[in-house]
Amino acid sequence: MSGEGSPRVRVPHAPGVRPAVAAIRWHAELVDRMLRRALDAAEQAGTAEPRVVRVPGSMELPVVCQQLAHDHDAVVALGVVIRGGTPHFEYVCESVTSGLGRVSLDEATAVGNGVLTVDTREQAVQRAGFEDSVEDKGFEAMSAALETALVLRELRGDYSSERGFL
């Protein structure tokens, strides 16, 4: 599993941070669970209530996240792309990953990448934050985006260097 060696997830104390989530409609059972877990992380962090928007598929995530970045401190993209029998998987994964990275840099806004790119549905289930999953990517993506938003505030002089974690 890809999470091997990852640090323990820390939920930052992030009152006043304005998060948003863009989630795809494909693979609804998986993405809905990841969304629930992302919202749980934001609630634990004490943020403003996240704005949630749904998009048709993963290819639409970067442009929607870019728009959300104009009015939010942290943006989380949630989706699932499962490999099929054509090269389409590689094109979608590369475009989404590059696009989200570009949004983060172009907008100087924290972007949490919670897009699962997997070979099988079973791998996605193991990463989607269910009770018996080994990873919790929705929760992790939100926690990372919130922590990054706080680091950016600190670097800009907008926040105390005493960042706390819950």
Side-chain angles (χ1 to χ4, degrees):
M1 197 52 47
S2 64
E4 185 175 325
S6 64
R8 183 178 68 84
V9 176
R10 303 183 311 170
V11 178
H13 182 65
V17 172
R18 296 163 306 160
V21 179
I24 70 168
R25 291 195 301 260
W26 279 78
H27 306 291
E29 175 191 0
L30 301 167
V31 175
D32 289 350
R33 177 61 183 179
M34 292 168 57
L35 175 58
R36 176 71 260 147
R37 294 298 294 144
L39 296 175
D40 289 346
E43 183 178 353
Q44 286 181 32
T47 71
E49 184 173 340
R51 179 167 186 189
V52 175
V53 296
R54 297 308 282 250
V55 299
S58 294
M59 290 296 290
E60 291 75 30
L61 287 169
V63 70
V64 171
C65 287
Q66 185 167 38
Q67 185 62 45
L68 289 168
H70 294 173
D71 299 318
H72 296 84
D73 304 307
V75 179
V76 174
L78 298 176
V80 175
V81 183
I82 300 174
R83 184 179 303 275
T86 68
H88 185 257
F89 174 84
E90 283 82 12
Y91 303 141
V92 171
C93 294
E94 175 63 29
S95 294
V96 172
T97 301
S98 295
L100 293 175
R102 182 175 159 200
V103 169
S104 182
L105 294 172
D106 289 353
E107 302 301 328
T109 300
V111 175
N113 184 343
V115 179
L116 303 182
T117 56
V118 296
D119 291 325
T120 66
R121 185 179 188 290
E122 293 74 29
Q123 289 174 341
V125 169
Q126 285 300 306
R127 298 174 70 197
F130 292 100
E131 292 298 324
D132 57 349
S133 295
V134 296
E135 294 182 70
D136 192 349
K137 291 301 182 185
F139 194 92
E140 293 171 20
M142 179 61 79
S143 296
L146 294 175
E147 184 175 351
T148 303
L150 293 174
V151 169
L152 289 170
R153 280 188 175 184
E154 181 181 323
L155 292 172
R156 294 172 182 145
D158 297 338
Y159 190 75
S160 164
S161 62
E162 295 295 322
R163 277 184 271 125
F165 292 90
L166 303 171

